[in-house]
Amino acid sequence: MRVLVTGGAGYIGSHTVRALIEAKHEPVVIDNLVYGHKKVIQNIFKTPLICGNIGNTNLLKSVIFGTHNELISTNHEGKMIDAIIHFAAYAYVGESVKQPLKYYKNNVSESINLLDIICSNDVISRRSSSDPIPIIFSSSCATYGIPKETPITENTPQNPINPYGKSKLMVEEIIKDLAISCNLKSVILRYFNAAGASPDSVIGEDHCPETHLIPLAIKAAFESKPLKIFGDDYPTFDGTCLRDYIHVCDLANAHVLALKIFEKKQVHLKHDYKNNDLCKIYNLGNGSGISVKQIINIIEKVTQKEIKIIIEKRREGDPTSLIASASKIIQELGWEPKYPNIYDIVSHSISWYTKSSFQ
Ligand SMILES: NC(=O)c1ccc[n+]([C@@H]2O[C@H](COP(=O)([O-])OP(=O)(O)OC[C@H]3O[C@@H](n4cnc5c(N)ncnc54)[C@H](O)[C@@H]3O)[C@@H](O)[C@H]2O)c1
């Protein structure tokens, strides 16, 4: 399939672009490069990268119809996109609390622009199936807020407690409405904690600023800088929060599997909120809670370096535990994580860090 990957120059997006190429799909990336890395997409994966916002209607249309300048004289020239994987978003929870409008504008308004185009008559009339371009949407465990049950299933009530989580839930709701109004086919994937790097250390996690525990702890180990832990008085076995880490390559492969839903010709059209076959929703995690201190211990073991920690008070809105049940995607799509072991996840991150820092 010809797949438009929004935010494809980012962390999860770039791993997915690679998985798409390996599965013989033909990706095209649109990314505003506020956080993404151009070199990975253009130089390593030799994939067209259109630099711009998904809120730019003309730009987006030209990419979807294959008429954008960057697509001329490529395999994509004049050909329409078959499916969209929508990663493009800002994803800093703390920042979203301080600047909510930045999140509602970028994550919600710009997504509305994208959805508006893929559901427009202009697009639908040019598709042989006469329906909108199907979409896979990156949602988050942040939509569950402080969960009332563990593990979290897709039916666990969603009560996001910050603008980032709310922005993701809003887009989920809009997508569900569009299934009813115009038969939009979609897959909503709710990721838990994406982590790790490609096992060959070609790509990895490079957020700037970095807020995720594993890369921060690796940096602390190699640079002998102290690492802050926010709260060691949670009701867990060692007092620190539990999170469910999923290898970024397993996450990427889940997107390739999800695309298969769109390839199936016979999709039942059920205009029913509760039993909406056009919108499939799946959690993505490994189903095990690893504590902050456990992560630090593993990194110390693998690197043979000590990490100095500073205990700070709890951060507001940090749930004690966020653990997924991913049974649904395992049963329905046959998703099988290749790297569920936290040692593999951490080791791949460390290898990538050492390769990219010391070469
Ligand atoms: N990293 C995680 O653990 C995690 C967990 C749950 C959900 N998610 C979601 O997964 C997606 C990808 O996360 P990531 O960690 O790869 O983040 P990332 O910041 O590395 O990637 C997002 C990319 O989107 C681009 N972008 C942002 N807004 C854009 C816009 N309006 N137009 C075009 N490009 C835009 C950025 O430049 C960046 O390259 C996000 O939607 C995020 O909310 C991530």
Side-chain angles (χ1 to χ4, degrees):
M1 292 176 107
R2 193 173 307 284
V3 185
L4 174 60
V5 187
T6 76
Y11 171 47
I12 306 171
S14 55
H15 287 78
T16 304
V17 166
R18 191 183 204 187
L20 288 168
I21 295 168
E22 282 167 6
K24 310 274 182 251
H25 291 293
E26 294 179 275
V28 176
V29 169
I30 181 164
D31 196 301
N32 62 13
L33 297 176
V34 170
Y35 295 117
H37 303 279
K38 187 175 176 179
K39 201 179 96 188
V40 171
I41 300 302
Q42 287 189 332
N43 301 2
I44 305 181
F45 301 145
K46 314 275 182 232
T47 293
L49 166 68
I50 286 85
C51 179
N53 276 310
I54 56 160
N56 181 336
T57 303
N58 290 337
L59 179 91
L60 202 50
K61 277 189 172 173
S62 68
V63 178
I64 286 175
F65 293 129
T67 55
H68 189 276
N69 274 346
E70 293 280 339
L71 301 177
I72 305 301
S73 303
T74 73
N75 286 345
H76 301 278
E77 181 175 351
K79 294 189 188 140
M80 206 159 139
I81 292 294
D82 299 311
I84 293 179
I85 305 184
H86 179 29
F87 293 106
Y90 295 150
Y92 292 104
V93 170
E95 183 184 64
S96 81
V97 175
K98 290 188 187 124
Q99 300 180 59
L101 284 178
K102 178 173 174 181
Y103 280 70
Y104 294 127
K105 273 187 195 163
N106 193 59
N107 296 5
V108 184
S109 296
E110 301 239 332
S111 294
I112 290 175
N113 189 57
L114 171 71
L115 292 165
D116 197 15
I117 294 171
I118 66 179
C119 294
S120 67
N121 283 336
D122 207 10
V123 165
I124 292 176
S125 62
R126 294 196 215 185
R127 279 172 50 82
S128 54
S129 53
S130 303
D131 59 3
I133 301 176
I135 186 165
I136 298 174
F137 173 60
S138 299
S139 190
S140 165
C141 60
T143 60
Y144 293 111
I146 312 252
K148 293 217 166 65
E149 58 190 18
T150 295
I152 298 168
T153 74
E154 291 79 0
N155 294 326
T156 298
Q158 291 171 284
N159 291 306
I161 52 165
N162 51 60
Y164 166 67
K166 288 179 194 171
S167 73
K168 289 284 168 183
L169 183 55
M170 285 176 194
V171 179
E172 282 196 18
E173 294 300 321
I174 296 167
I175 287 174
K176 287 183 206 164
D177 286 342
L178 290 169
I180 292 159
S181 69
C182 63
N183 288 336
L184 174 68
K185 290 179 198 134
S186 63
V187 180
I188 292 172
L189 298 176
R190 295 182 188 143
Y191 319 149
F192 282 62
N193 285 52
S198 68
D200 60 4
S201 303
V202 170
I203 40 175
E205 187 165 10
D206 194 8
H207 291 114
C208 185
E210 189 55 80
T211 55
H212 294 111
L213 175 63
I214 293 177
L216 286 177
I218 293 171
K219 218 171 167 11
F222 280 99
E223 296 179 11
S224 305
K225 284 184 181 154
L227 176 74
K228 287 181 185 164
I229 291 185
F230 297 96
D232 66 348
D233 56 352
Y234 283 92
T236 61
F237 67 93
D238 66 9
T240 61
C241 292
L242 304 179
R243 293 292 178 267
D244 186 347
Y245 293 90
I246 171 168
H247 196 290
V248 66
C249 292
D250 288 330
L251 208 46
N253 286 332
H255 293 77
V256 176
L257 270 182
L259 276 181
K260 291 192 179 175
I261 296 178
F262 304 149
E263 285 170 337
K264 286 194 187 134
K265 297 278 180 283
Q266 69 301 352
V267 176
H268 304 295
L269 306 181
K270 281 188 185 159
H271 293 190
D272 177 352
Y273 264 110
K274 287 193 185 113
N275 190 10
N276 186 352
D277 259 6
L278 294 186
C279 176
K280 302 275 187 193
I281 302 176
Y282 300 107
N283 281 343
L284 276 166
N286 278 309
S288 50
I290 315 284
S291 78
V292 173
K293 282 189 179 163
Q294 278 179 311
I295 292 286
I296 293 169
N297 287 339
I298 295 169
I299 293 174
E300 287 185 323
K301 265 192 202 143
V302 178
T303 60
Q304 302 274 297
K305 292 179 189 297
E306 197 192 333
I307 299 175
K308 291 185 203 91
I309 55 173
I310 299 175
I311 308 290
E312 299 267 341
K313 62 178 195 304
R314 291 182 184 196
R315 274 186 308 211
E316 202 155 323
D318 260 349
T320 302
S321 132
L322 281 173
I323 302 169
S325 161
S327 314
K328 192 177 168 206
I329 192 161
I330 292 170
Q331 277 161 23
E332 291 189 9
L333 301 191
W335 178 68
E336 222 179 314
K338 208 168 163 188
Y339 308 107
N341 188 314
I342 190 66
Y343 271 90
D344 287 336
I345 295 176
V346 167
S347 301
H348 293 164
S349 289
I350 293 171
S351 303
W352 182 79
Y353 175 87
T354 47
K355 188 181 162 195
S356 51
S357 306
F358 302 120
Q359 67 186 357

